Amino acid sequence: MKIAFYGSSLLSSYWNGAATYYRGLLKALAKRGYDIVFYEPDAFDRQKHRDIEAPDWCTVVVYEATAHSLMQVAALAAQADIVVKASGVGFEDDALLRAVLDHARPDALTVFWDVDAPATLNELRNNPDHPLHQALTRIDLVLTYGGGDPVVWEYRAMGAAECIPVYNALDPETHHPVAGDPRFACDLAFLGNRLPDREARVEAFFLEPAQALDGQRFLLGGSGWGDKPLPSNVSWLGHVGTRDHNVFNVTPKAVLNISRDSMAANGFSPATRVFEAAGAGACLVTDAWLGVEVFLKPGEEILVARDGADVAEIMRTLSPSKARAIGAAALSRVLADHTYTLRAELVDTIFKRHLESETAEAAE
């Protein structure tokens, strides 16, 4: 079956947190026999910051960020059995959604894949004229990056025919244990771009503990932090490409996950970082969010902090041996329960059920 997937970027993680998710899921779907074309706009300098070259398991079409090029690639949706429009493509999202739905064949499965459901739903709540409200009546299926039952219920209340979470996971071929590197030697490291709805939480969960632990060393990776005042024991690395994520995760004594405001408030929204770090065997400290125990066991496979004071206390008492034991337990858990192979099995089942249902209805 052919999938036309319209997303932000498969080739670059630059200002694009969904890249790991796209790569893991689509590679696993390709192994199940899907023929995938990924359409991404040349926007936000992502093509200048590619992390990977075009893979052999997916055709990537990079189009100019112009209305003309958008309509050209949208017309190609007619060639696909499954048409996926992701949230947050980054160039004329509303126009792209309308266009791909207009061009999708009547017998094609149409999917809105929301990689930031809490934020999208907040926009829909606050804007009754948002184009997605009307589009939901035309879309067969909504898949989400996370969110659990609250997201499912709200999407259905807004008119979605069906909504199913497909959580982040691990691609063990990409994220796995490696040898450490002195470039990333520290006590605690955090990797995340500077975003308005996360900055206050980074201050509380990372920068304030750093100030309280002036004898420990902290590393900050990610774009946008260049003009941010930092404690003297915090070093900023800038953008860290995906090729360095494994070594970034395994070298520090522990790594930190900090959710964005909307993700933390909603719960059941583990970031890609959670599974990347666990897959590398890192000791992961995370801010508290509803549902964390569904994915990793607190105290044994992950350490959970309610606030910056908890982070500071964890780092005061965390021994290297305990950190290694937690990292090993997390690695074992995600390999057993949270791989993209398992997520792709779920998606494959969903797709085939919908397509078989449509075929049966057409035959009646």
Side-chain angles (χ1 to χ4, degrees):
M1 279 187 285
K2 294 185 177 181
I3 300 176
F5 198 112
Y6 297 82
S8 52
S9 180
L10 190 76
L11 301 178
S12 175
S13 65
Y14 187 68
W15 291 104
N16 179 36
T20 298
Y21 182 71
Y22 290 150
R23 294 167 187 173
L25 266 171
L26 296 184
K27 182 167 74 170
L29 284 171
K31 288 180 178 179
R32 299 186 72 88
Y34 286 88
D35 180 2
I36 306 168
V37 182
F38 191 98
Y39 298 94
E40 61 180 75
D42 186 357
F44 302 105
D45 283 335
R46 287 179 181 138
Q47 299 308 314
K48 296 178 182 177
H49 296 84
R50 287 188 178 187
D51 300 297
I52 63 171
E53 293 304 315
D56 57 9
W57 41 264
C58 175
T59 300
V60 180
V61 175
V62 180
Y63 61 94
E64 293 181 358
T66 65
H68 177 69
S69 293
L70 180 151
M71 294 306 296
Q72 284 184 315
V73 296
L76 298 175
Q79 301 175 3
D81 305 294
I82 301 168
V83 178
V84 179
K85 162 63 174 70
S87 66
V89 171
F91 176 74
E92 295 292 341
D93 272 79
D94 296 336
L96 179 61
L97 178 59
R98 286 192 299 270
V100 297
L101 292 176
D102 287 344
H103 287 286
R105 300 194 314 259
D107 63 334
L109 174 64
T110 54
V111 182
F112 180 67
W113 206 316
D114 195 345
V115 296
D116 195 355
T120 303
L121 288 169
N122 187 57
E123 287 184 22
L124 293 174
R125 282 184 225 113
N126 295 325
N127 183 3
D129 296 324
H130 195 292
L132 184 55
H133 282 292
Q134 183 176 1
L136 284 174
T137 64
R138 304 176 59 191
I139 294 168
D140 297 313
L141 172 66
V142 175
L143 298 178
T144 70
Y145 171 106
D149 286 344
V151 162
V152 171
W153 297 332
E154 190 161 7
Y155 256 119
R156 287 180 175 171
M158 289 185 176
E162 187 171 8
C163 176
I164 302 173
V166 180
Y167 295 108
N168 280 310
L170 169 70
D171 173 6
E173 295 178 358
T174 303
H175 295 104
H176 48 76
V178 297
D181 188 314
R183 289 179 298 158
F184 304 114
C186 67
D187 294 283
L188 184 66
F190 170 69
L191 178 61
N193 293 331
R194 188 179 184 181
L195 299 171
D197 64 344
R198 184 167 54 193
E199 184 166 357
R201 294 177 66 82
V202 173
E203 292 171 354
F205 283 86
F206 185 69
L207 299 183
E208 290 177 13
Q211 289 179 315
L213 300 170
D214 56 5
Q216 296 193 20
R217 187 181 176 201
F218 293 69
L219 286 183
L220 173 61
S223 301
W225 300 103
D227 60 351
K228 179 76 172 178
L230 301 174
S232 60
N233 59 336
V234 177
S235 299
W236 177 53
L237 301 170
H239 174 66
V240 179
T242 52
R243 63 176 59 89
D244 283 328
H245 283 191
N246 286 327
V247 70
F248 181 93
N249 287 324
V250 303
T251 304
K253 184 166 66 174
V255 294
L256 182 64
N257 173 69
I258 303 173
S259 305
R260 290 173 27 232
D261 291 340
S262 57
M263 295 292 191
N266 192 82
F268 294 92
S269 301
T272 53
R273 287 280 303 135
V274 169
F275 300 104
E276 286 184 14
C283 176
L284 183 63
V285 181
T286 185
D287 58 336
W289 39 273
L290 186 65
V292 62
E293 70 283 351
V294 172
F295 304 96
L296 293 166
K297 188 173 182 179
E300 295 183 15
E301 299 165 345
I302 193 169
L303 298 173
V304 180
R306 296 163 298 178
D307 51 29
D310 276 1
V311 174
E313 183 59 25
I314 286 170
M315 295 309 300
R316 284 191 188 97
T317 60
L318 183 64
S319 67
S321 61
K322 183 178 179 181
R324 287 193 295 271
I326 291 170
L331 174 58
S332 178
R333 175 66 183 280
V334 296
L335 286 173
D337 295 339
H338 302 301
T339 64
Y340 280 116
T341 297
L342 293 172
R343 303 290 195 256
E345 182 178 340
L346 168 64
V347 173
D348 181 38
T349 300
I350 294 167
F351 284 170
K352 287 178 178 176
R353 172 166 54 83
H354 274 268
L355 288 167
E356 289 168 1
S357 175
E358 291 186 5
T359 301
E361 289 178 5
E364 290 178 356

